[in-house]
Amino acid sequence: KPMKVLALKSSIVGDNSFSSKLIDYFVENTNAEVKIRDLAADPVPVLDIAALGALNTPDSDIQKLSNEFIAELQDVDLVVVAAPMYNFNIPTQLKNYIDFIQRAGVTFRYSAEGPEGLIKNTRALCISTRGGFHAANGTDTVVPVVKNALGLIGIP
């Protein structure tokens, strides 16, 4: 059975994106079954008060979209996140996606020991691009944010 991969692109610069080019290279050089989700080309709604309410409303379009994202994560062996650094942060498009996959009682729960991720058997690889000197200088905020966001839901 081939490995199943979900590749998440989040760059706003399309074909000019180094992080997207790295994802494309990965896809071209793997035998895995890959689904690409481009969060900039097909953006996720911003989490506002209306979307927050809709996440908890059965059969709402917002909940259906969130459920679709969560099902994709549960179905793959590996999620590859292409995350450029914009102004010392992850792209808004990726943040919006994270808001839709972090759902208490669905992808994580709280226990006496703290939060427990509920997505099992999926691992993550973060491909981060940024200009300058950030990787070894303590100013890389992208990898820690992605690691913490996915770690909360059980994806190391």
Side-chain angles (χ1 to χ4, degrees), residues 87-148:
N87 301 320
F88 295 95
N89 213 330
I90 62 173
T92 300
Q93 294 74 15
L94 181 56
K95 170 66 169 84
N96 294 345
Y97 175 84
I98 290 168
D99 287 339
F100 273 57
I101 63 168
Q102 290 184 334
R103 287 177 44 205
V106 178
T107 56
F108 72 96
R109 67 177 166 220
Y110 292 106
S111 69
E113 293 78 39
E116 175 191 353
L118 300 177
I119 296 183
K120 308 295 183 191
N121 303 316
T122 300
R123 299 192 55 81
L125 171 66
C126 180
I127 297 174
S128 178
T129 55
R130 54 234 181 246
F133 55 87
H134 302 287
N137 209 16
T139 56
D140 173 17
T141 56
V142 172
V143 174
V145 166
V146 172
K147 183 177 181 177
N148 288 334

Side-chain angles (χ1 to χ4, degrees), residues 7-9 19-27 80-82 127:
L8 299 174
K9 293 182 176 185
S19 63
S20 292
K21 288 178 183 180
L22 289 170
I23 285 282
D24 293 340
Y25 180 83
F26 173 84
V27 169
V80 181
V81 181
I127 297 174

Side-chain angles (χ1 to χ4, degrees), residues 73-79 119-124 154-156:
L73 290 170
Q74 292 169 325
D75 187 50
V76 298
D77 304 296
L78 178 69
V79 57
I119 296 183
K120 308 295 183 191
N121 303 316
T122 300
R123 299 192 55 81
I155 300 175

